[in-house]
Amino acid sequence: MKMAFQVMVQPYTYEDLDTVIHMAEAALKRGHEVTIFLFADSVLSVNKHVKPVKTDRNIPERMRELASKGVKIEICGICMDYRGLTQEMIVEGSRPSGLPELAKLLATCDRFVSLMG
Amino acid sequence: MRAVALVLVKYGVDNPAEKIKLQIASENDKVVLIQNGVYWAVLEDVTKLTRGKVYALKGDLEARGYCETDVRGVELIDYDGFIELVEQEEKFIG
Amino acid sequence: MGKKLLFVVYQSPVGSIWVNEAFRTAFGMYGEDLEPAVLLMHEAVVAVSKSCRPECLGLLPVSMVKRYLARYGTPVYVVKEDLEKFKVRELDEEYKPTLVSEEDLPKLFHEYDRVIFM
């Protein structure tokens, strides 16, 4: 199945990115095609310049690993602009996207799960 | 019969949107409590707040210091079980 | 037939971005075979008050969505009980709001394929 997961809130402050990473891993294991759509503050989760303390998890790195396993990571472009995130700053395998792509995702995916703002 | 929906609840008992989601769930819907949504099962009798069948992420429950005996009428699931529920229901409310 | 999408907002249009984002997202759906609608509940119902003006604080106005509503005819549902609760005195009819009662919500939600809370 084509599964799409949308996230809206920021990493570290809230648990949503952790939740969606676990969801994506479980969905991959079950043989699904997974897309994560990052909306609003959640776009901060793919900033490769993020430096958490050593004891904490590195969310952008986890996102990069997911992308390397085949998870598509799409980022709302306007949300990036609003937060000063440029294409050079995002982790490998993620890509700037937008509402036309979200619309296409909503029209074509088999399952859509959104973590509310 | 209405198509069955997966209803996702992630905020705790003070959140008005989550309360509405629980209220609107029909008896064939599947309600999944994740993150702080597990408090609905710990602090309340969630089966009286919703008609849907209720599931909760075991990891989110246990990480907050609760266990299976702290909740009633709720089936505990892991992420694999969560995705299995996602597979089953095309409609989504959350 | 296209999938039906309901974008639901419950947070205030002044002090949070979700009302603006719900409308922006809904309008962005028309390039595909999708039928978007917006439901305002709880604090978000204040958005359709004639005297609601986030721009007074230098915030992004909500009223800019009216132009697109006129163009696309996107349905806007507003929970009637919440209008009373939040003492909204005069509705801005340019939003063409359809008032729904709390008891109608189970049916309304289940009419949509994807209900996305913002």
Side-chain angles (χ1 to χ4, degrees), chain A residues 2-3 8 12 18 20 22 40 50 52 68 73-74 76 82 88 92-93 97-98 100 102 108 114:
Chain A
K2 280 174 77 172
M3 289 192 176
M8 305 201 197
Y12 295 105
D18 304 278
V20 90
H22 287 305
V50 164
S68 73
I73 300 175
E74 305 211 353
C76 164
Y82 258 84
E88 295 72 46
E92 197 184 326
S97 175
L102 178 64
T108 59
S114 175

Coordinates of all heavy atoms in Angstrom, one line a residue, chain A residues 2-3 8 12 18 20 22 40 50 52 68 73-74 76 82 88 92-93 97-98 100 102 108 114:
Chain A
K2 N 0.3 2.3 -0.6 CA 1.0 3.6 -0.5 C 0.4 4.3 0.8 O -0.8 4.7 0.8 CB 0.7 4.5 -1.7 CG 1.5 4.1 -3.0 CD 1.0 4.8 -4.2 CE 1.6 6.3 -4.2 NZ 1.3 7.0 -5.5
M3 N 1.3 4.5 1.7 CA 0.9 5.2 3.0 C 1.6 6.6 3.1 O 2.8 6.7 2.8 CB 1.3 4.4 4.2 CG 0.5 3.1 4.4 SD 0.8 2.4 6.0 CE -0.4 1.0 5.9
M8 N 2.9 18.0 11.7 CA 2.8 19.5 11.7 C 3.6 20.2 12.8 O 3.8 21.4 12.7 CB 1.3 19.8 11.9 CG 0.4 19.2 10.9 SD -1.2 20.0 10.8 CE -2.2 18.8 10.0
Y12 N 11.5 17.5 18.9 CA 12.1 17.7 20.2 C 11.1 18.3 21.2 O 11.0 17.8 22.3 CB 13.4 18.6 20.2 CG 14.5 17.9 19.4 CD1 14.9 18.3 18.1 CD2 15.2 16.7 19.9 CE1 15.9 17.6 17.4 CE2 16.1 16.0 19.2 CZ 16.5 16.5 18.0 OH 17.5 15.8 17.3
D18 N 9.1 11.5 16.6 CA 9.5 10.2 17.1 C 8.4 9.2 16.7 O 8.6 8.1 16.2 CB 9.7 10.3 18.6 CG 10.7 11.3 19.0 OD1 11.9 11.0 18.9 OD2 10.3 12.5 19.3
V20 N 6.2 9.4 14.2 CA 6.2 9.2 12.8 C 7.3 8.3 12.3 O 7.2 7.5 11.4 CB 6.0 10.5 12.0 CG1 7.3 11.1 11.6 CG2 5.1 10.2 10.8
H22 N 8.8 5.9 14.1 CA 8.4 4.5 14.4 C 7.3 4.0 13.4 O 7.3 2.8 13.0 CB 7.8 4.5 15.8 CG 8.8 4.7 16.9 ND1 9.9 3.8 17.0 CD2 8.9 5.5 17.9 CE1 10.6 4.2 18.0 NE2 10.1 5.2 18.6
A40 N 4.3 22.9 8.3 CA 4.5 23.9 9.4 C 5.9 23.7 10.2 O 6.9 23.4 9.5 CB 3.3 23.9 10.4
V50 N 21.0 20.7 12.9 CA 20.5 20.5 14.3 C 21.6 19.7 15.0 O 22.1 18.7 14.6 CB 19.2 19.7 14.2 CG1 18.8 19.2 15.6 CG2 18.0 20.7 13.7
P52 N 21.7 18.1 18.6 CA 21.2 17.8 20.0 C 22.3 17.4 20.9 O 23.4 17.0 20.4 CB 20.3 16.5 19.7 CG 20.8 16.0 18.4 CD 21.4 17.1 17.7
S68 N 17.1 6.9 3.3 CA 18.0 5.9 2.6 C 17.3 4.6 2.5 O 17.8 3.7 1.7 CB 19.3 5.9 3.4 OG 19.1 5.2 4.6
I73 N 10.5 11.8 1.8 CA 10.3 12.8 2.7 C 10.1 14.1 1.9 O 11.0 14.6 1.3 CB 11.5 13.0 3.7 CG1 11.6 11.7 4.5 CG2 11.2 14.2 4.7 CD1 12.8 11.6 5.4
E74 N 8.8 14.6 2.0 CA 8.5 15.8 1.3 C 8.3 17.0 2.3 O 7.7 16.8 3.3 CB 7.2 15.6 0.4 CG 7.4 14.4 -0.5 CD 6.6 14.6 -1.8 OE1 5.8 15.5 -1.9 OE2 6.8 13.7 -2.6
C76 N 7.0 21.0 3.0 CA 6.3 22.1 2.5 C 7.2 23.3 2.3 O 7.9 23.8 3.2 CB 5.2 22.5 3.5 SG 4.5 24.2 3.3
Y82 N 9.4 30.2 5.5 CA 9.0 30.9 6.8 C 10.0 30.7 7.9 O 10.0 31.4 8.9 CB 7.6 30.4 7.2 CG 6.5 31.4 6.8 CD1 6.0 31.4 5.6 CD2 6.0 32.3 7.8 CE1 5.0 32.3 5.2 CE2 5.0 33.2 7.4 CZ 4.5 33.2 6.2 OH 3.5 34.1 5.8
E88 N 20.0 23.7 0.8 CA 21.3 23.2 1.2 C 21.3 22.7 2.7 O 22.2 22.0 3.0 CB 22.4 24.4 1.1 CG 22.6 24.9 -0.3 CD 21.4 25.8 -0.8 OE1 20.9 26.6 -0.1 OE2 21.0 25.5 -1.9
E92 N 19.9 14.6 3.3 CA 20.0 13.9 2.0 C 18.7 13.0 1.9 O 18.4 12.3 2.9 CB 21.2 13.1 2.0 CG 21.6 12.5 0.7 CD 22.8 11.6 0.8 OE1 23.7 11.8 1.7 OE2 22.9 10.6 0.1
G93 N 18.1 13.0 0.8 CA 16.9 12.2 0.6 C 15.6 12.9 0.8 O 14.6 12.3 0.4
S97 N 8.9 20.5 -1.3 CA 7.6 20.1 -2.0 C 6.6 21.2 -1.8 O 7.0 22.4 -1.6 CB 7.2 18.8 -1.4 OG 6.0 18.3 -1.9
G98 N 5.3 20.9 -1.9 CA 4.3 22.0 -1.6 C 2.9 21.4 -1.6 O 2.8 20.2 -1.7
P100 N 0.6 21.4 -4.0 CA 0.3 20.6 -5.2 C 0.7 19.1 -5.0 O -0.1 18.2 -5.3 CB 1.0 21.2 -6.4 CG 1.3 22.6 -6.0 CD 1.4 22.6 -4.5
L102 N 1.2 17.7 -2.0 CA 0.3 17.2 -0.9 C -1.0 16.7 -1.5 O -1.6 15.7 -1.2 CB 0.1 18.2 0.2 CG -0.8 17.7 1.3 CD1 -0.2 16.5 2.1 CD2 -1.1 18.8 2.3
T108 N -3.9 10.2 -4.3 CA -3.4 8.9 -4.8 C -3.0 7.8 -3.8 O -3.0 6.7 -4.1 CB -2.1 9.1 -5.7 OG1 -1.1 9.7 -5.0 CG2 -2.5 9.9 -7.0
S114 N -2.6 11.7 9.7 CA -2.1 13.0 10.0 C -2.0 13.2 11.5 O -2.9 12.8 12.2 CB -3.0 14.1 9.4 OG -2.6 15.4 9.8

